[in-house]
Amino acid sequence: MTAAAATLLRTAVELTAYAPEGERAERAVVMTMGALHEGHASLIQTARAVVGPAGQVVVTVFVNPLQFGEAADLDRYPRTLDADLAVAGAAGADVVFAPSVDEVYPGGEPQVRISAGPMGERLEGASRPGHFDGMLTVVAKLLHLTRPDVAFFGQKDAQQLALIRRMVRDLNFPVEIVGVETVREADGLALSSRNRFLDPYERHTALALSRALFAARDRLAAQQALHARAQTTGATEDRAAGLTRLGEARLAADAQAVARARPDKGPAAVRAAARAVLDDAAAEQPPLSLDYLALVDPADFTEITDDRTAGDAILAVAARVGATRLIDNIPLTFGATT
């Protein structure tokens, strides 16, 4: 049996009437700009699992003009509402709330907006000035309009997720924010509504983003495994030299690698592994044009120094392939030994 499409609501009045006061089943919201794909479906499925069959799952579809620096980018953003209703319903949503611009901003662009602060000026904020102010403003409005108990956002937009969590904490919004793991296509490319703009050659180049992140993750895991061995075996440069004198070249090379696996080299190794992949992609046809590669603290998105030996981090990348700008990231933990 085919799942029913989600109910379409266009106004705040309709949304309020759909959930009258007194019926306080737990409500989850998944905020999107439409053009729904499997990544959005994963968010909706997670929301349904959390609130259960008795709860409500509301998906918002709103292409927010405050987030776009250029009118051409706003006009180019795909609108696929009929398909979105089907995807949302199949994934478990009850309602798609798709208001007009006039419904969200009845007096025109708002005079009072949420400021993203210093974190909103880094990375994506530096590349797209004002983007995060516009994003937080509409998220705040949609939280007020939908009144959820819990809201779900994808970790692919890691800086956005961090800023929403900070806004909710700093401004005392009564909602729990949950991040959901990035969904990837079989070849590793992070799912995005912008992927549809890539031709086959551009898509091949774009795979460098995820390959760079995975290379960095694997380099860190290998280095931390070697460091763990050094802690247990006592491998030293002197031992490696002794094995070399005995003609044990393979054992000597292994001992030397273990001895040199210092924890304070982790950030540099991560950056180098990712950079090597991205540099190769810059020579592809079509080339990858790197915007940034940054290893940051997930709390405030400040750059992590090369002497970091423990703690969580996010390796984030943004680049253009042809006319399409893509972002991706991966969480890392320094100091892990398993």
Side-chain angles (χ1 to χ4, degrees):
M1 179 179 294
T2 302
T7 299
L8 175 62
L9 303 178
R10 289 288 199 173
T11 69
V13 171
E14 290 174 338
L15 186 60
T16 300
Y18 189 87
E21 289 297 330
E23 294 184 15
R24 274 313 284 151
E26 191 172 22
R27 174 181 280 185
V29 68
V30 175
M31 295 187 189
T32 82
M33 292 204 295
L36 302 188
H37 49 63
E38 284 303 311
H40 297 112
S42 175
L43 290 169
I44 297 165
Q45 290 160 359
T46 303
R48 171 54 66 197
V50 168
V51 301
Q56 283 188 356
V57 176
V58 176
V59 176
T60 67
V61 172
F62 180 66
V63 182
N64 179 31
L66 301 188
Q67 291 176 230
F68 291 83
E70 298 180 9
D73 288 339
L74 176 61
D75 293 340
R76 187 173 181 239
Y77 199 88
R79 274 83 165 173
T80 59
L81 184 57
D82 289 342
D84 293 344
L85 290 168
V87 171
D94 299 298
V95 170
V96 168
F97 178 51
S100 66
V101 173
D102 288 340
E103 179 72 17
V104 177
Y105 303 121
E109 290 196 4
Q111 297 295 304
V112 177
R113 307 188 187 194
I114 302 288
S115 170
M119 196 196 320
E121 298 171 358
R122 299 171 186 136
L123 300 188
E124 284 299 291
S127 298
R128 305 166 68 187
H131 166 73
F132 285 127
D133 292 354
M135 178 276 295
L136 289 178
T137 298
V138 79
V139 168
K141 294 203 72 165
L142 290 173
L143 286 175
H144 288 312
L145 289 169
T146 59
R147 294 174 297 161
D149 300 286
V150 57
F152 296 81
F153 296 88
Q155 291 179 350
K156 185 178 83 70
D157 297 299
Q159 192 172 4
Q160 170 180 285
L161 175 58
L163 281 162
I164 292 170
R165 282 176 166 153
R166 187 64 187 243
M167 177 186 73
V168 164
R169 183 169 71 250
D170 286 355
L171 301 184
N172 299 102
F173 279 73
V175 61
E176 178 186 0
I177 303 299
V178 176
V180 179
E181 185 176 351
T182 299
V183 178
R184 299 183 180 276
E185 300 195 37
D187 57 12
L189 188 67
L191 282 172
S192 169
S193 302
R194 298 178 185 271
N195 291 353
R196 68 186 65 198
F197 299 132
L198 299 169
D199 67 30
Y201 300 101
E202 291 170 339
R203 184 186 174 86
H204 175 76
T205 297
L207 292 176
L209 272 72
S210 56
R211 286 204 313 270
L213 297 176
F214 298 156
R217 177 197 61 193
D218 294 345
R219 175 72 64 83
L220 179 62
Q223 187 170 41
Q224 293 186 152
L226 287 172
H227 180 65
R229 283 180 58 196
Q231 297 294 96
T232 58
T233 65
T236 65
E237 294 277 2
D238 288 343
R239 181 172 181 270
L243 288 168
T244 299
R245 288 193 295 272
L246 292 171
E248 297 288 351
R250 181 178 297 179
L251 291 174
D254 179 72
Q256 189 172 65
V258 172
R260 291 180 177 177
R262 292 167 48 192
D264 60 349
K265 298 295 185 181
V270 161
R271 291 186 179 95
R275 176 71 66 172
V277 176
L278 297 170
D279 286 348
D280 287 345
E284 294 274 1
Q285 290 299 326
L288 180 142
S289 178
L290 183 65
D291 187 346
Y292 61 75
L293 173 69
L295 183 65
V296 298
D297 188 319
D300 58 11
F301 273 68
T302 54
E303 192 78 20
I304 283 175
T305 58
D306 280 347
D307 59 356
R308 169 70 69 93
T309 60
D312 294 332
I314 290 174
L315 183 64
V317 62
R320 286 190 180 273
V321 182
T324 304
R325 187 175 185 276
L326 300 170
I327 63 172
D328 202 349
N329 70 84
I330 194 168
L332 300 172
T333 300
F334 291 92
T337 57
T338 58

